[in-house]
């Protein structure tokens, strides 16, 4: 719970000090409190950011796919979580300084609008917003190739045979990253999921000019991108 939020609903600073002195509440850093004895995970912190602070920070990319059960291998105890937030949203010091038991890999970006492509996930007695499968795979590609391997993105996309084309269409049309859109369409066409045929590619702007995603790779003329040779080797014939 944020002290600013508690103050807004009638808890004075003096009252909060008495609660801390009486060991009913404990500080987890400047501006944030928890009930004494509670074992709070990063999910509770994300809840506070979303509901009490109005931030767009949310579990994203592969972390979101794992949370909603859309990866081949379930991560029962992840050592790192990926969180995305808007370009102008820095994580508060209490969040950064607290030990959540996992490494928080936070990325500030506005390549997708913050209000689309999210889904509610229940966490005990509260819920948080995480990326839907459609948004999460685009976030994976945003991180590639520096923070996420392209081949892993391809393998993740292979398993996403039930993506919703209308949701994808909206995300792709509003995505500002040419790299992400070209990589996604290249991989999706090569994999050949049924939902790809429903997408209206004419409405998805792919920019102009070439994009070299990796060095010494294979050039894909249709999408004007250079991809790893290992990925190009599985191509279906339109390089």
């Amino acid at each position: 719970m944020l002290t600013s939020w508690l103050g807004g609903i009638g808890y004075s600073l003096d009252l909060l000090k008495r609660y801390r002195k009486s060991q009913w509440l404990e500080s987890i850093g400047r501006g944030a409190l928890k009930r004494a004895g509670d074992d709070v995970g990063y999910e509770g912190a994300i809840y506070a950011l979303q509901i009490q602070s109005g931030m767009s920070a949310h579990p994203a990319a592969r972390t979101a796919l794992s949370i909603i059960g859309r990866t081949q291998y379930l991560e029962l105890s992840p050592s790192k979580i990926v969180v995305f937030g808007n370009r102008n949203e820095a994580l508060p010091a209490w969040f950064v300084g607290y030990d959540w038991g996992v490494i928080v890999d936070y990325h500030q970006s506005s390549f997708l609008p913050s209000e689309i492509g999210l889904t509610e996930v229940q966490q005990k007695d509260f819920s948080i917003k995480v990326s839907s499968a459609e948004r999460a795979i685009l976030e994976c590609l945003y991180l590639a190739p520096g923070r996420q391997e392209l081949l892993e993105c391809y393998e993740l996309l292979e398993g996403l045979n039930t993506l919703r084309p209308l949701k994808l269409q909206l995300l792709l049309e509003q995505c500002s990253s040419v790299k992400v859109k070209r990589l996604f369409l290249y991989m999706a066409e090569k994999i050949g999921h049924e939902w790809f045929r429903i997408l209206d590619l004419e409405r998805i702007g792919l920019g102009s000019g070439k994009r070299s995603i990796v060095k010494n790779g294979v050039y894909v003329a249709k999408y004007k991108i250079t991809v790893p040779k290992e990925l190009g080797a599985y191509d279906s014939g339109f390089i």
Side-chain angles (χ1 to χ4, degrees):
M1 297 173 288
L2 304 184
T3 54
S4 57
W5 178 79
L6 288 168
I9 61 174
Y11 290 84
S12 68
L13 290 177
D14 286 340
L15 181 59
L16 294 178
K17 287 179 181 178
R18 291 203 297 271
Y19 283 164
R20 289 200 300 272
K21 187 175 181 180
S22 301
Q23 297 184 347
W24 293 347
L25 294 176
E26 296 176 350
S27 173
I28 62 170
R30 185 177 179 85
L33 301 164
K34 70 181 184 70
R35 282 191 288 263
D38 275 4
D39 184 14
V40 180
Y42 79 87
E43 298 92 344
I46 293 292
Y47 171 84
L49 293 179
Q50 291 180 353
I51 303 301
Q52 298 175 12
S53 188
M55 290 180 64
S56 68
H58 61 277
R62 178 161 185 163
T63 297
L65 291 173
S66 180
I67 290 174
I68 62 179
R70 299 301 297 274
T71 57
Q72 294 179 350
Y73 306 103
L74 180 62
E75 296 181 84
L76 297 178
S77 183
S79 59
K80 182 178 76 172
I81 61 162
V82 179
V83 177
F84 269 61
N86 275 347
R87 184 175 298 160
N88 60 349
E89 290 182 347
L91 291 176
W94 63 262
F95 189 109
V96 175
Y98 192 76
D99 182 7
W100 303 108
V102 293
I103 298 171
V104 179
D105 186 16
Y106 183 59
H107 299 272
Q108 294 172 255
S109 173
S110 299
F111 85 103
L112 286 171
S114 60
E115 69 277 4
I116 63 173
L118 300 173
T119 185
E120 293 270 347
V121 173
Q122 192 68 29
Q123 299 285 328
K124 296 181 180 180
D125 56 349
F126 62 91
S127 63
I128 59 173
K129 294 177 182 179
V130 308
S131 293
S132 64
E134 293 82 7
R135 182 178 180 121
I137 191 62
L138 298 181
E139 290 166 336
C140 286
L141 290 170
Y142 179 83
L143 298 177
R147 306 297 290 271
Q148 176 84 53
E149 291 186 4
L150 278 169
L151 286 177
E152 185 178 18
C153 292
Y154 183 81
E155 291 170 355
L156 289 170
L157 188 55
E158 273 188 311
L160 299 176
N161 60 345
T162 58
L163 293 184
R164 298 162 293 183
L166 293 181
K167 299 289 186 182
L168 274 175
Q169 186 75 42
L170 176 63
L171 286 163
L172 289 168
E173 287 184 24
Q174 299 202 37
C175 177
S176 64
S177 173
V178 169
K179 179 197 79 171
V180 168
K181 290 184 285 189
R182 291 187 189 182
L183 279 172
F184 178 81
L185 294 178
Y186 163 68
M187 291 182 178
E189 182 173 0
K190 183 165 60 173
I191 292 168
H193 287 318
E194 287 296 322
W195 48 257
F196 177 77
R197 300 182 182 133
I198 303 174
L199 295 176
D200 186 351
L201 304 186
E202 295 296 324
R203 290 164 50 192
I204 302 171
L206 296 180
S208 60
K210 300 176 181 179
R211 296 291 192 280
S212 180
I213 309 301
V214 296
K215 294 181 179 179
N216 302 318
V218 176
Y219 181 64
V220 183
K222 181 171 184 177
Y223 291 105
K224 299 180 181 178
I225 54 175
T226 302
V227 300
K229 294 177 181 178
E230 299 87 347
L231 183 57
Y234 294 99
D235 194 82
S236 58
F238 53 82
I239 285 182

